[in-house]
Amino acid sequence: MECDESQRDVNAFPTPEFTLVTPGDMRYEALCHAYNYRFVAKPDYIMLARSPRDVETAVRAAVVAGKRITVRSGGHCGEDFVAAPDVDVIVDMSPMSKVSFDPERGAFVIEAGATVGKIIRELFQNWGVTIPCGFCMGVGAGGHISGGGYGPLSRLLGLSVDYLHAVEVVVVAGDGTVSTVLATREENDPNRDLWWAHTGGGGGNFGVVTRYFMRFPDAAGSAPGELLPHPPNALHIAEVSWPWDELTEADFVRLVGNFIGWQLANSAPDSPDVDIYALLNCLHRSAGDIAMHAHVPEDAPNAHARMAAFLAALGDGVGAAPSVRRRSLPWLAATRYLAAPETGPFAVTLRCKVKSADLRGAHTEEQRATAYRHLTGDDYQTMYSALEYIAYGGRANTVPSSATAAPRGALLKSFYMVVWHDVADDDRHLRWIRELYRDVHATTGGVPVPDETHTGAYINYADVDLADPRWNTSGVPWHTLYYGDNYPRLQEVKAKWDPRDVFHHALSVTRAP
């Protein structure tokens, strides 16, 4: 990389075309809300950015005026990292949503406001390629990729950041100078540490991401269709449900144990079943059923027979007979079919709380029985409350933990979520999920302390309770749970690239002492 590219001249960008939305504008109230209605900001204004120059303009104005600035791409943050009470300026990146190919760099360009759904669709329709990412289609690239990025293809392909070639970031120097920096994975790039920090360090820490550049780390040639992996042509999908009224506690403990055990035994990168992905959704009893969806590439060897064997292994020793539906769909249709809902009564105006724990060993029978008691309590009901176990491992663990900011080593993810709509119900739903999580991890201070069972938690499922001594009594700090041994290096990057702490939130990286 030539020196003149590391500090890009703002005049090289298009004339500012941003939109400012202020109180009194009919759009203001709508744009103060995002995905999680628990948090509503009341900023002085919201800037809808359309170029890196727009972002520079917003950041520079905020720094000069001493205003607190936050950034939103898809708006799916589970905590108030964007919509905090003291926020003065929100930079909304949603207008910057292009997915394109840069022939000069030989890399795909994903703007920070592009949603996962758009990324999957445009990469496939235009070039027949993909990146491993989630199936929550409204999540924005800005936070998803910077937090590591995983999804149903991660066992086969790794993490989103394993394909991150470069990142373009608007940063603020110690003297207040605002500039746009390009940081690449190249060993001789003086900005490489900033690239590394965006391979799992999470959003809102170092600057404003405007664009990601994606390609294979060892990419050769210039044909776009060969610079990122190809998705499966089609997926063979199994949808399974077990009725709660037929499940005993012993059945539940056995079913979850079977799922965890199978995943741990088949998550090595060279496992013949590493291409089978599954998500076991242990919904509260009031929902009626426990559900699971699984899929395998349709054209993989013995795909249907291996899926049948997996389903049989899940049911071993479980008294309740499941309902099973199996079908095959082309790749793009399958991604839409399996996507989390983004519209309708469930998804709009929701209030939610999420938690996570990454596993490399099995939850004990006692932990599974604890989950059963919380999931079957007659004194609690809601529209959606669940503990999910999600297949992981495989190629995601072929990269050393120090090579990216995202720690490695987990073979299975667990995800806790509760959703409701009425503000009057906040306390009881928050109490339910907090007590479930605390009790499942009771032997390690209420949190998944890295040990023989857990590797920690996932920063994109942000949870401020991990920094709260009322809910984390382990003595292990929140940043160890999220970043492990990588946190000191992240602190060094923070001190270098955001020395004024312009970008911060409740779980942001702090500067090294």
Side-chain angles (χ1 to χ4, degrees):
M1 185 182 69
E2 296 180 4
C3 296
D4 62 354
E5 285 188 320
S6 65
Q7 297 284 340
R8 292 187 164 194
D9 184 354
V10 70
N11 293 320
F13 297 118
T15 300
E17 297 178 351
F18 59 80
T19 300
L20 289 185
V21 178
T22 57
D25 189 305
M26 65 177 294
R27 297 166 292 181
Y28 181 79
E29 288 298 325
L31 293 176
C32 284
H33 291 83
Y35 175 77
N36 191 348
Y37 268 55
R38 283 177 61 207
F39 310 111
V40 182
K42 295 295 181 183
D44 296 346
Y45 58 87
I46 300 161
M47 173 195 265
L48 297 168
R50 291 178 171 81
S51 71
R53 181 171 182 172
D54 289 354
V55 177
E56 282 196 17
T57 299
V59 172
R60 185 176 296 109
V63 169
V64 170
K67 294 180 179 293
R68 187 183 171 203
I69 187 169
T70 59
V71 186
R72 179 172 66 207
S73 54
H76 276 66
C77 185
E79 298 289 358
D80 69 347
F81 296 176
V82 176
D86 62 341
V87 168
D88 301 307
V89 178
I90 295 176
V91 178
D92 189 317
M93 301 296 292
S94 59
M96 288 188 64
S97 61
K98 293 178 183 176
V99 178
S100 60
F101 182 74
D102 181 347
E104 181 181 348
R105 296 198 173 277
F108 293 89
V109 182
I110 298 175
E111 293 187 331
T115 61
V116 164
K118 183 171 185 178
I119 293 168
I120 292 172
R121 183 179 64 253
E122 302 241 341
L123 286 178
F124 181 73
Q125 288 181 341
N126 294 322
W127 300 282
V129 300
T130 195
I131 59 172
C133 57
F135 277 6
C136 292
M137 298 303 184
V139 170
H144 185 65
I145 295 175
S146 66
Y150 86 97
L153 293 184
S154 286
R155 284 163 58 89
L156 277 175
L157 302 178
L159 303 184
S160 301
V161 293
D162 295 339
Y163 301 87
L164 181 61
H165 171 68
V167 59
E168 185 179 76
V169 191
V170 173
V171 296
V172 182
D175 62 0
T177 301
V178 178
S179 61
T180 302
V181 173
L182 186 73
T184 77
R185 70 182 306 141
E186 302 297 335
E187 294 290 343
N188 62 350
D189 184 351
N191 302 328
R192 191 177 191 275
D193 58 345
L194 187 62
W195 165 85
W196 179 86
H198 286 87
T199 61
N205 278 308
F206 311 101
V208 182
V209 173
T210 54
R211 297 191 293 179
Y212 295 105
F213 296 78
M214 312 294 289
R215 71 181 191 190
F216 282 118
D218 55 353
S222 58
E226 301 305 319
L227 297 177
L228 280 177
H230 300 282
N233 290 330
L235 295 179
H236 180 61
I237 300 167
E239 298 169 276
V240 187
S241 62
W242 294 263
W244 261 117
D245 58 9
E246 296 180 19
L247 285 169
T248 65
E249 179 175 337
D251 287 332
F252 176 86
V253 169
R254 183 62 180 256
L255 173 61
V256 175
N258 288 347
F259 184 88
I260 294 174
W262 191 94
Q263 297 299 332
L264 298 182
N266 295 277
S267 293
D270 59 352
S271 167
D273 287 325
V274 74
D275 56 354
I276 295 180
Y277 167 85
L279 185 155
L280 180 66
N281 192 357
C282 302
L283 293 154
H284 189 272
R285 178 190 286 273
S286 57
D289 299 283
I290 289 176
M292 185 194 76
H293 66 259
H295 59 70
V296 64
E298 173 70 24
D299 57 359
N302 304 312
H304 290 222
R306 290 189 294 116
M307 178 64 77
F310 167 58
L311 298 180
L314 287 189
D316 181 39
V318 178
S323 170
V324 180
R325 180 187 186 191
R326 295 172 63 175
R327 64 184 305 180
S328 297
L329 290 172
W331 164 248
L332 207 55
T335 65
R336 295 196 299 270
Y337 185 79
L338 297 170
E342 290 288 333
T343 60
F346 175 83
V348 178
T349 74
L350 65 79
R351 308 172 73 82
C352 70
K353 174 71 174 176
V354 302
K355 293 174 175 287
S356 69
D358 292 350
L359 285 74
R360 55 177 156 217
H363 275 166
T364 65
E365 286 191 18
E366 181 179 354
Q367 287 176 296
R368 286 174 267 147
T370 297
Y372 174 86
R373 289 191 290 274
H374 282 273
L375 290 167
T376 57
D378 292 332
D379 59 341
Y380 176 79
Q381 291 187 0
T382 187
M383 61 181 297
Y384 185 93
S385 50
L387 163 57
E388 300 176 3
Y389 289 95
I390 306 170
Y392 194 61
R395 189 167 175 181
N397 290 331
T398 60
V399 175
S401 281
S402 61
T404 62
R408 309 294 173 129
L411 302 178
L412 184 70
K413 286 183 174 288
S414 62
F415 176 65
Y416 301 67
M417 185 174 190
V418 60
V419 174
W420 68 100
H421 280 108
D422 192 341
V423 63
D425 293 331
D426 281 9
D427 288 346
R428 73 182 183 94
H429 294 307
L430 291 171
R431 182 173 63 254
W432 181 84
I433 193 172
R434 284 167 169 162
E435 291 178 351
L436 165 63
Y437 189 80
R438 177 199 64 193
D439 293 350
V440 168
H441 304 102
T443 61
T444 53
V447 297
V449 171
D451 56 16
E452 65 277 4
T453 301
H454 294 100
T455 62
Y458 178 47
I459 190 59
N460 276 357
Y461 299 147
D463 174 18
V464 296
D465 294 344
L466 297 186
D468 187 337
R470 293 174 298 175
W471 299 103
N472 177 2
T473 61
S474 69
V476 177
W478 67 266
H479 50 76
T480 298
L481 300 174
Y482 282 127
Y483 300 118
D485 294 336
N486 287 335
Y487 189 65
R489 185 176 175 188
L490 286 169
Q491 288 185 291
E492 293 175 0
V493 178
K494 176 74 170 181
K496 177 180 177 181
W497 291 101
D498 185 22
R500 298 163 63 106
D501 199 28
V502 171
F503 305 100
H504 61 271
H505 51 71
L507 294 179
S508 56
V509 174
T510 61
R511 290 164 291 179

